[in-house]
Every structure is written in structure tokens, then in C-alpha cells.
């Protein structure tokens, strides 16, 4: 009789706050476990329910001990005879002699010392695993009556110190509360499309009886997710309709000169995007356009065109980047061209003296500077523009930003958002909803696709000899340092040490520079400038070079411990090479395969298989491994937990339709608020 003495709740009496409760309200969760869950982004009961299994364990044959053979996965139903644990270095090995009526076998567990106390002789166990040299290696187990080793048991994205068992037990508890979340979809819509109840879908997602059932559940949850997105977009769009911008007159001679000054001819794709931007700028509603194009496709040239349109008529443009390094990089890229055009550009960073900063802000406020380059945070919160007309927002979260200062004056700038995490155009139109989309689908014609190879550590010397061959042929190279745990300072020190080590060994005799996030702005700029001018052969770097660095003569990159990086991040890093006509290479070095998690292997394989950012964005969503969850958000899309963009096109359509039918006070309203709030928050960070 462990049920509370109350009537079961129906979908009609939702208590959504129950899902907002912190995970500690579940039994067995203390501060240590809370921290581990936190690293996976799980803070509330609802987060736990939204932690989608990466896959399900496939069917495993139930066997008797005597009938076990080969390396096949099997399930055993046994009783414990005796158990004991020991340590070997950092490894804890727990061995239990277990038996059924046909025989006895030694079962082993690694690094689960606490289990020993529970393996009392006589305890009944269900074990799932494989035979190995020593007996039976357990991959999952049930003590007593629970049945988590069953077929289609969920396998969750997890970190090394968090067992699947723990996540399964906790989701079991959370599922008991799923009904409290309520049912956001009206019965009519549900029955028309024969959709399961949301609570049922959650149960089926975590505890499916078949792959089919799990997929139906996922689609129901994806629909809810897309619906929230659609509602948020509708709200945004409605707000924007009230805004006014000043239309710009058609492009004049400055833009003609810009085309002449560029060291290349704009491609058809670039010209097409420019034409779309021109049309937007002629209107009195502010431009809200997304320019998407893969890494290296040439978005910067288009962005600069857009801001120059403002400068040409005596108004101002802003270029906003997510980080200071990237802002600096943008500044270096456009400075030369702008100087030739006689356009004044200011770099606004927080890493200069207060006086210099005031001076720069003053120039922007007085209108003496035509283009301001800085981080989103800086430009939005600190800088007053005399007359901002066009803002370019690079790599910003899906919803982008509002120009508060400009809004206060009742006039909005035209905004161009740029992203290198592209998704197919038709999908982008739906996912981004209220943004118009331009796409640079093809890179400049002289490009050869980057060749990517994946080697394990023991063969890293071959990677370096290949790198040296490029250097000897007059090319330049990047070496990306491992992502170490810790602060920016730890990371910086590791990069410096690595550069030193390489100077003494693999790269002896070459000119090796090092950049990381702890360098003073001036130092960083001078190292970058030296590399750009060819005064350095190799740039050893942390991920500060992830975006924006542009040196076409750099044709090879080594990424150390590539398995630690996220897929989108690796794609961005790789985009630093392959920017000229020369064949470029990206060599990913990882630990040995058996040390890697499943998702790390999938990520590296995906990178070797394709350089297509669209495809990788999709794969990334599918794999959604450990690194992604812990790391920074690469794009707004990472918040789509259940949707599979390519497979779920029909759901996008359905969500659009259903969004029009829902009341404003539907259960989803709160989720919509939250989404809009978060987007705002990201915009400010
Ligand atoms: P993205 O920002 O899309 O990653 P960039 O704008 O940095 O790409 O451009 C990548 C490289 O391609 C740069 O070296 C740039 O100078 C070059 N580039 C841009 N447009 C063209 C073009 N039309 N023809 C040749 N090279 C180009
Ligand atoms: Mg760029």
C-alpha cells in the first residue's frame, strides 16, 4: 500500500509545477548526484522526462548459464552465491559468483563498488551482458523484481560518472509524475491525428515495448516542441509588425567601389543574397533576414555589403560577434577594405583601457565612425549610436536580438543574422518562422572539399609528418589543443605548454605561435597578424580560432583529442582550412577506439564522411552525445530535443497549422514565455 490515498489525477487537473520541482525532490538524489545531473542539463523532474534516450537496447536472448556461447549479448536469470570487490589502480572490479539451475559463472562489474553490499548470497539477479575470458561481463542488471534489463531499455546520453542504471531508476520515478504535466493538445486535434496523450508518450519514450512505439512517442513530443516554437515565432512576428524602419535609397557608388576593391568577384550565390538584402532595405519594416551558408561560403563579404549600405547614406552599421576574439577577427578582415573605401571602423572591446573605450564610444555616439564592430553584449548594452541603420548579428541564437537603444527612439535598424550551422532552406523557413532566409548554397568555385582523416594517438607522428610536408611546401597550419577541464586560464596554460612541447619536438625548426583566450587583446592581435602575413608557420590554438580566422594559405589542421569536441565545433574548426584554391586537410587525432564512447565515434565518423554542414547539423541532432550536452550551445537548434528535422517535415507543417487553432491561455503558453525569455537572455549574455 505505498500509493497515496487520493484519486488518480486526470489530464483535466494538471499541476505543471510538479515538473518544475528540482531533481532533489526525487528519492535518492543528493547534492553529488544533482551536480552530475546538472552537467547533463537536468535540473528538474521535467528535464529528466525530456532527457531523450539516445537509443534502445536491442532484444537480447534469454539464456541459461550452460547455454551461453560466443560473444553474443544475453540475459541471465540467476542467484548470487558470493561476491567480492577489489581495486586495481583506478579500476574497481566487483566479481560475483552467480548460478542458475544449469551452472555457475563469474559475473564482473567495473567501477560500481557500492553494489557489493547489495549482492548478498541468495539475491535474485537479472543480468544483461556478454561472456568474456573471465566469465560474464555485466552491462546492465536488475536486482530483485525491477525489469530494466528488458529489451528496448533506454540508453541515455550520460557522462562517465553517471550510470545508465541511475538514470533509468530516476526516470522511473519521474514518469510517475508525468500526468501532472497535463495535456496541452485539445482532444479534437489529438483524435484527428490519432496522437497519444503527452503523458503516455513520455512513458512510451522511456519505456517502449517496441521501436515503433518509441518512435510514435517521439513524434508526439516533437510536435509539442515544434508547437511551442511556432507559438513563440508568431508572438515575435506580431511584435515586429509594429516596428518601423527607415527605408534606404538604392545602392550607389560606394557599393560599386566596394565590388572593385574586393580581391575577388562575388559569386552568384552571394549576389543573390545581396539582391534579397537590397529589397529588404528598401522597405519601411525592419529587415529580419537570416543569411545561412556553410563555413567558408563567403558570408562576410555579403555582411559587409549590408553595413556599407548604411554608411553610404551617412548612417551607421554594426557588426556583432559572439566573442571578443571573433569581433577582433571581423575587424581585421574588414579594416583593410574599409580603409580603401575611406570608411571609418571602430573596434569596441572591453579589453582596452577605460579611456580608450570612452573615446571609441564617443566616436560612435557622434557618428564619426561608420561601422562599429564588437560583441553582441557590448553593442546592445553599452554603445549609443548616432544613427544605426543596419546591424549584422553573427552566429547568434535563433531569435537574435532587439536593438534596445534604437527601439527606444521608435526606429528599428535593419538586421541581418548570420549562421554557419545551416539547415535545409525549406526547414529553415519553418523553424525560423519570422525570419526571411537567404542562403549561400555553394562556396566560391575554386574550392576543393577538405579531406578529413581520423587517426588514433599511436599514429599521430604520421599526422605531424604530413603537416610538416605542407609547411615545407610553403603552406601554413593549425594545431588545435585538447579541451581540458577547468578554467580559461588552465586552458591557456595547457595551450602554451603544448606549443612549447611542439617547438621542441614535432615542429622543431618551424615558427610556431600560440593563441588562446587569456592573451591580451593586443598580443592576440599581433600573433594573428603575424600568422596572416606568413611570419608564423603554425598556429597552436584553443577553440578561440573556431570562427572568423581567415588565412587561405593555411591548408592543414591537426585537432588533438578530437573526441572531446562537439560535432558542430569540429566542423567550425575544420572550416579554418580549405579557404583557398589549394587542397586542404583536417587530421583528427583521438584516443584509441576502445576508450571512446559510442557518440564520440559517431561524431568522428560523421566528420570524415562529409563536409556538408547541412548534413552534419542533422547528424549532430541525431547523435546529441555527451559533449554537446555539456558544452556551450552551438546553435539555437540544439534546443530541439525531440525533433528530427529531416524526418519530421510533416510535423513542422502540422505544428504551424495547430498553432493557429490554440488559445492563448493553453498549457503551452508558459513554455512559450520561457523560450522567449531564454532567447532574450542568450541575446544578452
Ligand atoms: P564564412 O564567413 O561564410 O565562413 P568568409 O566570408 O570568411 O566565409 O569567406 C571565406 C573565404 O572565402 C575568405 O577567405 C574570403 O575572402 C573568401 N571569399 C569570399 N567570397 C569569395 C568569392 N566570391 N570568391 C573567392 N573567394 C571568396
Ligand atoms: Mg565567417
Amino acid at each position: 500500500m505505498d500509493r497515496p490515498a487520493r484519486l488518480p489525477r486526470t489530464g483535466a487537473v494538471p499541476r505543471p509545477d510538479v515538473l518544475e520541482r528540482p531533481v532533489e525532490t526525487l528519492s535518492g538524489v543528493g547534492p553529488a548526484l544533482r551536480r552530475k545531473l546538472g552537467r547533463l542539463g537536468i535540473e528538474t523532474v521535467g528535464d529528466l522526462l525530456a532527457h531523450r534516450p539516445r537509443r534502445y537496447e536491442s532484444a537480447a536472448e534469454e539464456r541459461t548459464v550452460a547455454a551461453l556461447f560466443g560473444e553474443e549479448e544475453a540475459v541471465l536469470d540467476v542467484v548470487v552465491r558470493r561476491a567480492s570487490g577489489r581495486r586495481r589502480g583506478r579500476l574497481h572490479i566487483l566479481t560475483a559468483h552467480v548460478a542458475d539451475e544449469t551452472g555457475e559463472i563469474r559475473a564482473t562489474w567495473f567501477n560500481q563498488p557500492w553494489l557489493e553490499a547489495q549482492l548478498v548470497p541468495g539475491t535474485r539477479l537479472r543480468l544483461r551482458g556478454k561472456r568474456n575470458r573471465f566469465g560474464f561481463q555485466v552491462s546492465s542488471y536488475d536486482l530483485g523484481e525491477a525489469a530494466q534489463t528488458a529489451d528496448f531499455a533506454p540508453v541515455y546520453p550520460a557522462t562517465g560518472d553517471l550510470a545508465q542504471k541511475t538514470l533509468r531508476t530516476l526516470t522511473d520515478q519521474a514518469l510517475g509524475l508525468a500526468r501532472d504535466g497535463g495535456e496541452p493538445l485539445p482532444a479534437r486535434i489529438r483524435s484527428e491525428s490519432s496522437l497519444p496523450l503527452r503523458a503516455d508518450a513520455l512513458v512510451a519514450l522511456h519505456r517502449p515495448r517496441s521501436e515503433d512505439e518509441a518512435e510514435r512517442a517521439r513524434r508526439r513530443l516533437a510536435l509539442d516542441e515544434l508547437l511551442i516554437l511556432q507559438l513563440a515565432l508568431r508572438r515575435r512576428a506580431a511584435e515586429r509588425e509594429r516596428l518601423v524602419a527607415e527605408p534606404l535609397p538604392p545602392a550607389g557608388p560606394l557599393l560599386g567601389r566596394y565590388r572593385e576593391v574586393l580581391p575577388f568577384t562575388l559569386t552568384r550565390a552571394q549576389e543573390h543574397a545581396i539582391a534579397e538584402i537590397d529589397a529588404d532595405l528598401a522597405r519601411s519594416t525592419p529587415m529580419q533576414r537570416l543569411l545561412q551558408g556553410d563555413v567558408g561560403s563567403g558570408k562576410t563579404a555579403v555582411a559587409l555589403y549590408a553595413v556599407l549600405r548604411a554608411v553610404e547614406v551617412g548612417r551607421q552599421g554594426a557588426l556583432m560577434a559572439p566573442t571578443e576574439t571573433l569581433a577582433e577577427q571581423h575587424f581585421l578582415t574588414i579594416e583593410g577594405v574599409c580603409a580603401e573605401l575611406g570608411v571609418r571602423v571602430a573596434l569596441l572591446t572591453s579589453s582596452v583601457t577605460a579611456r580608450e573605450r570612452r573615446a571609441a564610444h564617443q566616436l560612435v555616439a557622434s557618428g564619426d565612425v561608420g561601422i562599429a564592430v564588437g560583441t553582441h553584449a557590448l553593442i546592445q548594452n553599452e554603445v549609443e549610436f548616432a544613427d544605426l541603420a543596419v546591424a549584422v548579428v553573427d552566429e547568434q541564437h535563433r531569435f537574435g536580438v532587439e536593438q534596445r537603444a534604437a527601439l527606444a527612439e521608435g526606429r528599428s535598424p535593419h538586421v541581418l543574422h548570420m549562421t554557419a550551422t545551416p539547415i535545409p532552406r525549406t526547414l529553415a523557413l519553418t523553424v525560423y518562422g519570422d525570419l526571411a532566409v537567404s542562403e549561400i548554397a555553394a562556396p566560391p568555385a575554386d574550392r576543393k572539399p577538405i579531406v578529413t582523416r581520423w587517426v588514433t594517438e599511436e599514429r599521430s607522428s604520421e599526422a605531424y609528418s604530413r603537416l610538416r610536408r605542407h609547411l615545407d611546401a610553403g603552406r601554413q597550419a593549425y594545431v588545435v589543443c585538447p579541451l581540458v577541464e577547468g578554467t580559461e586560464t588552465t586552458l591557456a596554460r595547457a595551450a602554451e605548454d603544448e606549443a612549447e612541447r611542439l617547438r621542441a619536438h614535432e615542429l622543431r625548426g618551424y615558427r610556431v605561435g600560440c593563441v588562446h583566450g587569456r592573451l591580451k587583446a593586443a598580443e592576440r592581435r599581433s600573433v594573428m597578424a603575424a600568422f596572416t602575413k606568413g611570419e608564423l608557420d603554425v598556429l597552436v590554438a584553443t577553440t578561440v580560432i573556431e570562427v572568423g580566422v581567415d588565412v587561405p594559405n593555411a591548408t592543414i589542421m591537426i585537432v588533438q583529442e578530437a573526441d572531446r569536441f562537439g560535432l558542430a565545433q569540429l566542423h567550425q574548426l575544420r572550416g579554418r582550412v580549405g579557404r583557398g584554391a589549394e587542397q586542404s586537410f583536417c587530421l583528427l587525432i583521438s584516443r584509441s577506439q576502445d576508450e571512446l564512447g559510442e557518440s564520440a565515434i559517431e561524431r568522428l565518423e560523421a566528420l570524415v564522411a562529409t563536409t556538408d554542414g547541412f548534413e552534419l547539423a542533422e547528424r549532430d541532432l541525431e547523435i546529441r552525445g555527451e559533449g554537446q550536452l555539456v558544452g556551450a550551445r552551438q546553435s539555437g537548434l540544439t534546443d530541439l530535443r525531440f525533433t528530427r528535422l529531416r524526418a519530421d517535415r510533416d510535423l513542422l507543417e502540422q505544428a504551424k497549422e495547430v498553432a493557429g487553432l490554440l488559445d492563448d491561455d493553453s498549457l503551452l503558453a508558459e513554455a512559450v514565455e520561457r523560450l522567449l525569455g531564454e532567447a532574450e537572455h542568450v541575446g544578452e549574455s
Side-chain angles (χ1 to χ4, degrees):
M1 278 305 288
D2 53 359
R3 292 219 165 208
R6 60 173 166 81
L7 289 171
R9 293 201 168 265
T10 68
V13 199
R15 297 188 304 160
D17 54 300
V18 169
L19 302 188
E20 299 290 309
R21 288 186 191 156
V23 279
E24 286 113 305
T25 56
L26 298 175
S27 81
V29 184
L33 184 49
R34 189 202 54 196
R35 261 195 308 281
K36 289 179 192 170
L37 291 167
R39 261 178 260 145
L40 290 168
I42 301 172
E43 282 166 10
T44 64
V45 173
D47 292 341
L48 203 51
L49 290 175
H51 194 55
R52 166 152 83 97
R54 187 140 52 89
R55 60 182 178 82
Y56 301 92
E57 279 178 352
S58 56
E61 209 61 52
E62 188 128 355
R63 300 237 174 243
T64 57
V65 171
L68 274 180
F69 66 88
E71 288 226 324
E72 158 208 69
E73 276 241 290
V75 173
L76 296 177
D77 202 337
V78 288
V79 170
V80 178
R81 291 270 166 85
R82 60 182 190 279
S84 65
R86 68 200 152 88
R87 276 198 179 275
R88 210 174 60 202
R90 275 161 49 192
L91 194 65
H92 181 274
I93 306 170
L94 174 60
T95 311
H97 290 258
V98 299
D100 62 14
E101 63 282 3
T102 70
E104 188 178 288
I105 194 166
R106 252 169 38 170
T108 47
W109 284 261
F110 294 112
N111 287 333
Q112 302 187 41
W114 64 86
L115 189 59
E116 187 176 342
Q118 296 177 35
L119 297 182
V120 189
T123 308
R124 193 161 151 224
L125 271 179
R126 242 173 90 87
L127 302 178
R128 185 185 169 119
K130 272 187 226 178
R131 225 200 142 96
N132 66 9
R133 269 188 299 154
F134 313 105
F136 192 76
Q137 181 170 345
V138 180
S139 61
S140 60
Y141 63 94
D142 288 320
L143 269 169
E145 294 310 310
Q148 297 177 338
T149 56
D151 300 339
F152 308 112
V155 179
Y156 294 103
T159 48
D161 57 0
L162 192 56
Q164 289 297 328
K165 174 109 186 151
T166 311
L167 283 166
R168 289 176 186 173
T169 309
L170 290 177
T171 29
D172 268 343
Q173 281 190 58
L175 284 172
L177 303 169
R179 295 226 174 274
D180 286 311
E183 175 52 57
L185 289 185
R188 185 170 58 84
I189 294 170
R190 257 194 355 258
S191 72
E192 268 170 19
S193 315
S194 31
L195 296 165
L197 286 168
R198 181 176 169 87
D200 291 343
L202 283 167
V203 173
L205 180 83
H206 292 280
R207 300 291 174 269
R209 280 163 300 187
S210 67
E211 293 274 354
D212 257 10
E213 193 180 63
E215 173 62 8
R216 268 199 309 280
R218 182 195 67 74
R219 279 175 56 87
R220 162 66 217 258
L221 298 167
L223 179 63
D224 288 3
E225 179 171 74
L226 289 170
L227 207 47
I228 292 168
L229 185 59
Q230 283 309 313
L231 291 169
L233 291 171
R234 287 165 73 98
R235 182 97 63 87
R236 264 294 150 109
E239 279 163 19
R240 267 192 196 131
E241 261 164 44
R242 295 198 296 269
L243 302 178
V244 246
E246 226 162 280
L248 297 180
L254 179 68
L255 279 313
R257 280 204 287 132
Y258 173 57
R259 283 194 167 80
E260 282 160 23
V261 165
L262 278 176
F264 44 76
T265 314
L266 293 170
T267 62
R268 279 231 329 261
Q270 283 167 323
E271 288 290 3
H272 190 74
I274 282 175
E276 289 173 323
I277 289 167
D278 279 339
D280 287 351
L281 295 178
R283 299 178 46 207
S284 58
T285 24
M287 168 168 76
Q288 281 295 341
R289 181 168 289 278
L290 176 73
L291 175 61
Q292 57 170 2
D294 210 341
V295 195
S297 61
K299 294 184 294 295
T300 315
V302 175
L304 186 52
Y305 176 95
V307 285
L308 285 172
R309 288 290 316 274
V311 176
E312 182 168 61
V313 293
R315 303 185 60 196
Q316 290 171 302
L319 195 50
M320 294 183 243
T323 65
E324 295 235 327
T325 319
L326 183 49
E328 272 162 30
Q329 234 12 80
H330 273 316
F331 177 74
L332 291 178
T333 314
I334 68 171
E335 195 191 18
V337 173
C338 288
E340 281 190 64
L341 295 173
V343 171
R344 246 178 120 179
V345 187
L347 173 64
L348 307 171
T349 68
S350 55
S351 49
V352 294
T353 65
R355 226 177 85 220
E356 288 172 295
R357 187 143 102 225
R358 265 199 308 277
H361 287 199
Q362 180 51 40
L363 287 175
V364 178
S366 65
D368 288 344
V369 153
I371 301 175
V373 184
T375 62
H376 303 133
L378 197 69
I379 289 193
Q380 278 183 99
N381 303 332
E382 292 182 24
V383 184
E384 290 267 342
F385 283 84
D387 190 9
L388 180 63
V390 176
V392 173
V393 182
D394 194 11
E395 295 300 342
Q396 176 59 309
H397 196 262
R398 166 172 72 231
F399 288 115
V401 290
E402 300 297 345
Q403 280 292 302
R404 296 208 174 72
L407 278 178
E409 293 156 23
R411 221 168 44 172
S412 306
H414 296 281
V415 181
L416 180 69
H417 306 258
M418 296 202 287
T419 176
T421 314
I423 57 172
R425 185 188 172 94
T426 46
L427 297 178
L429 288 171
T430 326
V431 174
Y432 295 104
D434 58 340
L435 297 185
V437 179
S438 294
E439 185 180 303
I440 304 185
D446 58 350
R447 297 288 164 72
K448 298 189 182 68
I450 301 163
V451 174
T452 304
R453 297 266 184 272
W454 167 25
V455 297
T456 48
E457 260 154 14
E458 60 268 25
R459 292 181 50 205
S460 70
S461 67
E462 292 168 35
Y464 282 98
S465 33
R466 175 164 225 162
L467 183 130
R468 287 192 300 269
R469 283 204 298 279
H470 279 247
L471 300 182
D472 295 340
R475 304 275 91 82
Q476 289 163 282
Y478 299 100
V479 176
V480 179
C481 295
L483 265 183
V484 291
E485 293 273 329
T487 60
E488 189 82 27
T489 311
T490 330
L491 208 66
R493 197 164 313 132
E496 298 274 9
D497 290 350
E498 183 56 19
E500 213 35 64
R501 195 190 67 75
L502 288 167
R503 282 184 195 113
H505 298 280
E506 284 93 338
L507 301 178
R508 183 147 25 132
Y510 296 96
R511 298 164 301 172
V512 178
C514 180
V515 285
H516 51 69
R518 271 279 161 266
L519 281 186
K520 294 225 172 62
E523 284 175 280
R524 190 163 59 207
R525 227 174 293 161
S526 87
V527 177
M528 290 309 308
F531 187 66
T532 308
K533 280 187 249 157
E535 292 163 7
L536 288 171
D537 301 307
V538 183
L539 199 58
V540 175
T542 60
T543 50
V544 297
I545 62 155
E546 196 176 314
V547 269
V549 176
D550 185 25
V551 179
N553 189 45
T555 54
I556 185 162
M557 162 178 285
I558 286 181
V559 183
Q560 298 177 336
E561 298 189 26
D563 49 289
R564 293 184 189 274
F565 295 90
L567 185 47
Q569 199 168 27
L570 286 170
H571 180 57
Q572 292 290 334
L573 283 168
R574 175 168 65 180
R576 296 313 106 206
V577 295
R579 305 192 140 238
E582 219 64 46
Q583 176 64 61
S584 286
F585 293 84
C586 175
L587 310 176
L588 306 169
I589 300 181
S590 79
R591 292 171 290 167
S592 71
Q593 287 230 19
D594 38 297
E595 282 179 66
L596 299 182
E598 191 179 342
S599 63
I601 293 176
E602 286 171 347
R603 288 198 297 272
L604 296 172
E605 282 174 347
L607 276 153
V608 172
T610 181
T611 53
D612 180 343
F614 289 81
E615 216 170 306
L616 287 171
E618 186 92 350
R619 276 299 280 149
D620 195 17
L621 289 169
E622 279 169 18
I623 300 170
R624 205 88 73 67
E626 301 136 32
Q628 259 71 36
L629 289 162
V630 188
R633 291 151 120 172
Q634 288 290 328
S635 73
L637 286 177
T638 51
D639 333 308
L640 291 178
R641 289 169 177 261
F642 300 107
T643 307
R644 297 174 59 194
L645 287 172
R646 220 170 277 176
D648 294 344
R649 253 167 226 239
D650 56 325
L651 286 183
L652 281 163
E653 289 311 318
Q654 196 180 355
K656 263 188 159 172
E657 208 174 290
V658 172
L661 304 174
L662 289 181
D663 303 333
D664 238 15
D665 62 349
S666 81
L667 263 183
L668 295 170
E670 211 167 303
V672 171
E673 290 293 337
R674 210 174 312 130
L675 185 59
L676 288 168
E678 270 166 30
E680 194 114 310
H681 178 73
V682 171
E684 279 161 8
S685 65

